[in-house]
């Protein structure tokens, strides 16, 4: 049993620089340009382009390119209580790159847990309320960031470079399905990469904040309406991709 | 969590547009109308509405009449949707009937509607009696012996002459006649009310009823409104202000098209503010007039006024209602051939025309076919002029015998009775069935509601083989999603995925020497006409669903979700005892014949070529009726799909043609026992096409 059409609506950012073993970046080919009408229409119907080309934010991509989610992003697409992300060999140890291994976070027994193949499960956050969402990412120094929803309130644990300590940001009321990811984990892209925090707000629009702004500036990506973000991760086309459920929640 | 069901209905040729097919999807209280000629289907949502309903999880009922769609939502308002010039237009309507019930009529402690009470002409008016009179030939004023129009009830000559109000058996039509003696003074041809005639007592039969056309459900309010309107119109005496509320809870829950009309049923037995005349509508089936305009769909009454002297006749095209005596909890109706089948919890009734005539208001017959009823309305499936449905004690097949008589026979009694009994009531309640006429299979999906846990299940009945087989479609995330919820018919070709090359500037795009392709959606020939609707999540009160089919060639369910899960195939044979269950047997060799499926090779990424479309067939012997391996009577599974000779491809483009269409292998089957059962399973992500097997069985001579 499988879907006739893609799941949900896909938004993609502009192209992140391609990496080639010989160091030469060829002319960027946008293969959609010549695709057949049926497919073009299909993707235009179900995709939206998003301006998120590092380091410039407001440049729109010319054509949307949907693809499969890369690596750990392909997992847990339907599960809000589980999030996997490629990360370093150990917390605060980026020496072996930011895509050394898969880190797994999940909600269990009223707590947020995190583990990796070389790291036994440990509790990140213990709650006395109801936890409904979890998403994790590492910054370029291997600091573990995470965002979760506790009793309907979204909270973001992040490393503030201004104070050199972790802070907890309470996101506005009505924020749902927050996701974070380090956009480009390749070592060559460290200077370009950003942690992106994205969520749906009470107005059903899709918003994001980024690490380079110390997550202080909120930007609208798409007015929606969307019910929720299913997944936000880099796709095989080297674009940050959102998989979204269109519609309006039923209250 | 609220239960949410996804229900579907195929609306064929909406707006009278040929080859157009819409799918109506109900999720909770919301309906979406999807144009399936637009791809993807999500882009074809042309209408969406959240309907009013007092229930969180109502069951709406749909039927197409002509080019329109009628929807019953268990509310007094019925909905009718039309498709005009690319736009869905909605109108609402209420079921209207002629008041053939009247109201309770007690005067001085005597019931004026029963027995000798019918003869009583009261000396003082009550609202109930005046209403009944108005509804029984006393509605309209008439000329008396002068050219003055007067209310016949009392204010006119009647009261003056006899000093009483008419009884419920008095019929004003008997006293209407022209006055030839009026010639020269008044019009001698005009009917006049001859009050002297009314002095003659009449029999204990009730005068004809049904002047008022009232709301079939909110009868009390409607009676007051109609009576007030009549009074204002003709300046009649005796305002009516106090009648029983007489209101049936909710509305019609089921609709069906039959004989060019819309039939309504599934009414509640609960009546607010009833009197002794209030109908219990749960056993009623209302039918509309022959539908020529959309408004006709709600007119469940005869056009002619039955209280009229001149036009009381019932026409073939009229509407009305039928009472199915004894039917309780009607749960569905289905147009089957020349009949309308009405399914109730305690049996199935057939409504049809009388004799060879089709159904009309003047020609109707009701027959109870079987006492095997159902309360699982969505399990009822029309199958080539017959019907199959799930009942409490089995799956029944409703069909005509060789003499043309209808009857129901159990399909499960001698086959899968214990399997069927293990299906819970909740699973049956939400189960949805559909018949694929191209595949000749009836499919029922169950465990299909959004709050269910464990795999979605499907029971398939193969019409050609007369065999059942079960499918389980596993979930990926936890034990809830994705979940197959419903099915819908699409045209007998289907949309499939094919890989197409990407070109740029007229040149095909390659990467590392490989063609870059993309999945293209295109109509492909197929033998299935069923598409499934599957729920992917239920968050924030919103059910996210998609259209799904059996299409994956890697034998993965839900490949788009976390890589999917293996769609394992399992076959366990019955017990082979060779006709003698008392002696031990051995099977030295068993031959398996399997269709060869490899169609080429692909690079596994390391330079090695691996076959494409691989098959595998694991076989296990289970001896002596053992249902677990604890007793050592289960053998080790072995691979029955083996190539006898190695095949060496010359490259990735090799098409793996070794000349064999069937892979036949000879296998040792270890073990001994009085009976043998074989368990045949597929391997993850591999094909398995079993053609057959042959066994040579040795039997011991000693018992």
């Amino acid at each position: 049993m499988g879907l006739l059409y893609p799941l949900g609506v896909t938004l993609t950012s502009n192209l992140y620089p391609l990496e080639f073993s010989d160091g030469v970046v060829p002319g960027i080919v946008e293969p959609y340009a010549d695709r057949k009408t049926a497919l073009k229409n299909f993707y235009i119907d179900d995709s939206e382009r998003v301006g998120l080309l590092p380091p410039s934010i407001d440049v729109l991509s010319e054509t949307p390119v949907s693809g499969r989610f890369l690596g750990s992003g392909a997992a847990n697409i339907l599960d809000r209580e589980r999030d996997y992300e490629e990360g370093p060999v150990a917390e605060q140890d980026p020496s072996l790159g930011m895509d050394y291994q898969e880190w797994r976070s999940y909600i269990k027994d009223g707590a947020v847990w995190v583990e990796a193949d070389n790291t036994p499960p440990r509790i990140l956050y213990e709650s006395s309320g109801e936890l409904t969402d979890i998403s994790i990412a590492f910054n370029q120094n291997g600091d573990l960031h995470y965002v979760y929803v506790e009793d309907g309130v979204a909270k973001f644990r992040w490393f503030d470079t201004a104070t050199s300590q972790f802070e907890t940001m309470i996101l506005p009321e009505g924020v749902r399905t927050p996701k974070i990811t380090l956009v480009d984990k390749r070592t060559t892209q460290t200077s370009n990469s950003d942690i992106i925090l994205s969520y749906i707000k009470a107005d059903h629009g899709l918003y994001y904040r980024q690490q380079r702004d110390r997550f202080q500036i909120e930007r609208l990506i798409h007015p929606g309406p969307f019910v929720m973000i299913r997944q936000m991760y880099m796709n095989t086309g080297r674009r940050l991709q959102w998989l979204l459920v269109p519609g309006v929640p039923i209250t | 969590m609220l239960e949410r069901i996804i229900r579907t209905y195929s609306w064929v040729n909406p707006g009278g547009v040929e080859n157009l097919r819409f799918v109506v999807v109900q999720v909770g209280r919301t309906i979406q109308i999807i144009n399936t000629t637009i791809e993807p289907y999500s882009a074809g949502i042309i209408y969406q509405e959240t309907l009013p309903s007092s229930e969180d999880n109502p069951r709406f009922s749909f039927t197409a009449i002509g080019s329109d769609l009628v929807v019953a939502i268990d509310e007094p308002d019925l909905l009718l949707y039309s498709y005009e010039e690319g736009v869905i237009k909605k109108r609402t309507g209420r079921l209207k009937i002629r008041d053939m019930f009247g109201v309770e009529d007690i005067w001085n402690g005597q019931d004026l509607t029963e027995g000798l009470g019918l003869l009583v002409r009261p000396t003082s008016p009550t609202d109930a009696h005046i209403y009944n009179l108005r509804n029984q030939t006393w509605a309209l004023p008439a000329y008396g012996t002068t050219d003055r129009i007067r209310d016949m009830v009392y204010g006119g000559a009647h009261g003056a002459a006899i000093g009483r109000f008419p009884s419920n058996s008095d019929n004003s039509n008997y006293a209407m006649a022209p006055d030839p003696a009026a010639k020269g003074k008044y019009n001698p041809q005009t009917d006049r009310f001859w009050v002297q005639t009314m002095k003659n007592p009449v029999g204990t039969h009730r005068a004809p009823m049904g002047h008022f056309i009232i709301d079939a459900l909110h009868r009390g309010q409607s009676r007051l409104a109609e009576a007030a309107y009549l009074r204002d119109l003709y300046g009649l005496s005796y305002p009516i202000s106090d009648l029983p509320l007489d209101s049936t809870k909710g509305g019609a829950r089921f609709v069906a098209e039959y004989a060019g009309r819309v039939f309504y049923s599934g009414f509640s037995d609960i009546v607010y503010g009833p009197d002794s005349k209030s109908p219990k509508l749960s056993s009623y089936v209302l039918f509309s007039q022959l539908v020529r305009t959309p408004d006709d769909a709600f007119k469940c009454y005869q056009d002619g006024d039955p209280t009229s002297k001149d036009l009381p006749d019932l026409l073939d095209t009229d509407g009305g209602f039928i009472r199915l005596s004894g039917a309780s909890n009607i749960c569905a109706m289905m147009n089957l051939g020349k009949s309308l089948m009405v399914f109730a919890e305690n049996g199935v009734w057939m409504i049809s025309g009388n004799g060879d005539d089709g159904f009309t208001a003047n020609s109707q017959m009701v027959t109870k076919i079987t006492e095997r009823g159902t309360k699982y309305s969505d399990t009822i499936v029309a199958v080539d002029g017959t019907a199959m449905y799930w009942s409490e004690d089995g799956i029944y097949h409703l069909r005509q015998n060789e003499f043309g008589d209808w009857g129901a026979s159990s399909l499960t009694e001698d086959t899968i009775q214990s399997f069927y009994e293990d299906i819970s009531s909740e699973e049956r309640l939400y189960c949805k069935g559909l018949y694929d006429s191209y595949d000749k299979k009836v499919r029922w999906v169950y465990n299909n509601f959004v709050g269910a846990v464990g795999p979605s299940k499907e029971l398939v009945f193969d019409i050609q083989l007369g065999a059942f087989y079960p499918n389980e479609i596993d979930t990926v995330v936890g034990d809830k999603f994705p979940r197959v919820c419903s099915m819908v018919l699409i045209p007998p070709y289907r949309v499939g995925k094919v890989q197409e090359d990407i070109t740029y500037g007229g040149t095909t795009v390659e990467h590392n020497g490989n063609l870059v392709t993309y999945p293209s959606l295109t109509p492909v020939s197929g033998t299935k006409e069923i598409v499934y609707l599957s729920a992917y999540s239920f968050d924030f009160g919103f059910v996210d669903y998609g259209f799904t089919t059996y299409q994956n060639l890697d034998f993965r369910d839900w490949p788009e979700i976390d890589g999917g899960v293996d769609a394992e195939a399992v076959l366990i044979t019955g017990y082979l005892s060779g006709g003698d269950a008392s002696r031990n047997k051995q099977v030295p060799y068993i031959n398996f014949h399997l269709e060869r499926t490899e169609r080429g090779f692909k690079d596994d990424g390391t330079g090695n070529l691996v076959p494409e479309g691989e098959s595998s067939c694991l076989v296990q012997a289970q001896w002596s009726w053992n249902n677990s391996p604890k007793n050592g009577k289960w053998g080790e599974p072995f691979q029955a799909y083996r190539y006898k000779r190695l095949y060496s491809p010359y490259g990735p483009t090799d098409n793996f043609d070794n000349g064999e269409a069937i892979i036949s292998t000879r296998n040792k089957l270890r073990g001994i026992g009085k009976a043998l059962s074989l368990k045949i399973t597929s391997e993850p992500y591999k094909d398995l096409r079993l053609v057959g097997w042959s066994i040579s069985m040795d039997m011991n001579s000693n018992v």
Side-chain angles (χ1 to χ4, degrees), chain B residues 166-205:
Chain B
S167 71
N168 280 322
S169 61
D170 281 327
N171 183 340
S172 71
N173 293 329
Y174 295 161
M176 299 299 290
D179 180 10
K183 190 173 182 182
K185 222 169 19 169
Y186 310 116
N187 187 344
Q189 293 171 333
T190 302
D191 270 349
R192 295 173 189 283
F193 180 67
W194 293 89
V195 67
Q196 295 302 319
T197 308
M198 299 310 299
K199 287 186 175 179
N200 294 325
V202 290
T204 51
H205 58 268

Side-chain angles (χ1 to χ4, degrees), chain A residues 18-241:
Chain A
L18 294 167
E19 183 182 48
F20 288 84
S21 56
D22 58 4
V24 178
V25 180
I28 295 170
V29 174
E30 294 284 3
Y32 272 71
D34 271 7
R35 283 188 176 178
K36 291 189 175 176
T37 308
L39 186 72
K40 185 188 280 186
N41 287 342
F42 164 66
Y43 273 107
I44 286 171
D45 282 335
D46 266 25
S47 302
E48 293 287 344
R49 58 193 181 184
V50 176
L52 198 69
L53 179 66
S56 171
I57 290 296
D58 298 322
V59 178
L60 291 173
S61 62
E62 290 185 1
T63 51
V65 179
S66 303
R68 283 182 292 108
F69 287 108
L70 273 176
S72 300
N76 310 311
I77 284 175
L78 298 188
D79 198 345
R80 291 163 53 198
E81 297 185 356
R82 188 169 286 271
D83 185 51
Y84 295 176
E85 170 103 359
E86 272 101 23
V89 64
E91 287 183 55
Q92 299 179 324
D93 180 3
S95 59
L96 297 179
M98 298 307 296
D99 53 359
Y100 176 81
Q101 64 179 338
E102 181 176 84
W103 287 77
R104 298 176 288 274
S105 66
Y106 48 88
I107 294 169
K108 188 176 115 181
D109 302 331
V112 176
W113 295 71
V114 67
E115 66 180 37
D117 286 346
N118 64 359
T119 307
R122 75 172 179 93
I123 290 178
L124 266 184
Y125 177 75
E126 211 160 358
S127 169
S128 55
E130 186 191 12
L131 294 168
T132 53
D133 295 78
I134 178 64
S135 184
I136 59 169
F138 294 88
N139 68 7
Q140 296 77 0
N141 292 323
D143 298 315
L144 178 59
H145 291 49
Y146 55 98
V147 62
Y148 56 97
V149 176
E150 183 178 33
D151 291 331
V153 178
K155 298 172 183 175
F156 177 44
R157 185 80 173 157
W158 63 291
F159 187 78
D160 187 351
T161 50
T163 60
S164 290
Q165 62 182 19
F166 278 96
E167 307 281 355
T168 299
M169 178 191 293
I170 309 293
L171 293 167
E173 190 180 336
V175 163
R176 53 184 187 266
T177 60
K179 305 281 182 195
I180 53 171
T181 187
L182 179 66
V183 177
D184 202 335
K185 299 172 180 65
R186 293 170 296 179
T187 310
T188 53
Q189 303 301 322
T190 303
S191 59
N192 282 334
S193 65
D194 249 332
I195 290 180
I196 299 292
L197 164 66
S198 186
Y199 45 80
I200 308 291
K201 284 185 74 174
D203 63 1
H204 317 307
L206 175 66
Y207 290 81
Y208 81 101
R209 296 166 186 252
Q210 58 186 351
Q211 183 188 5
R212 73 188 61 182
D213 299 329
R214 294 177 47 249
F215 304 105
Q216 300 304 302
I217 301 172
E218 180 183 78
R219 292 182 171 85
L220 174 69
I221 304 174
H222 194 287
F226 298 116
V227 175
M228 60 190 286
I229 306 174
R230 282 210 187 288
Q231 181 62 299
M232 179 188 68
Y233 215 81
M234 185 71 88
N235 73 12
T236 50
R238 287 292 168 195
R239 291 155 194 272
L240 184 61
Q241 176 168 295

Side-chain angles (χ1 to χ4, degrees), chain B residues 225-245:
Chain B
E226 292 296 310
Y229 183 78
L230 183 77
R231 180 170 176 268
D232 290 346
L233 196 62
Y234 292 113
L236 302 178
S237 310
Y238 307 110
I240 300 168
S241 59
D242 185 21
L243 292 177
L245 183 60

Side-chain angles (χ1 to χ4, degrees), chain B residues 300-334:
Chain B
C300 298
Y301 55 83
Q302 71 174 80
D303 252 344
D305 182 350
T307 68
S308 158
K309 180 169 176 276
D310 302 316
L311 293 169
D313 298 329
L314 183 65
L315 306 178
D316 280 353
T317 54
D318 279 339
F321 49 79
I322 298 167
R323 188 159 178 229
L324 304 183
S325 184
S328 67
N329 291 334
I330 292 172
C331 76
M333 296 183 291
M334 175 176 282

Side-chain angles (χ1 to χ4, degrees), chain A residues 1 3 34 36 39 80 230, chain B residues 518 539 544 551 557-558:
Chain A
M1 188 68 71
L3 274 167
D34 271 7
K36 291 189 175 176
L39 186 72
R80 291 163 53 198
R230 282 210 187 288
Chain B
Y518 67 95
D539 290 294
D544 187 29
Q551 61 175 356
D557 284 329
W558 321 116

Side-chain angles (χ1 to χ4, degrees), chain B residues 9 11 14 21-27 29-36 38 41-52 60 62 69 71 73 78-84 86-92 545 547:
Chain B
Y9 177 78
W11 182 8
R21 184 172 291 209
F22 289 172
V23 173
V24 185
V25 179
Q26 179 204 339
V27 182
R29 288 191 291 258
T30 301
I31 61 164
Q32 291 180 325
I33 299 177
I34 301 171
N35 183 349
T36 57
I38 296 174
Y41 292 165
S42 56
I45 298 174
I46 58 172
Y47 186 83
Q48 178 167 322
E49 182 184 6
T50 298
L51 299 176
F60 300 151
F62 308 90
L69 178 76
V71 184
I73 60 172
L78 287 152
L79 313 176
L80 188 142
Y81 295 91
S82 305
Y83 181 66
E84 297 167 25
V87 177
I88 297 288
K89 292 183 178 169
K90 173 189 167 187
R91 71 184 82 193
T92 59
Y545 68 87
F547 291 88

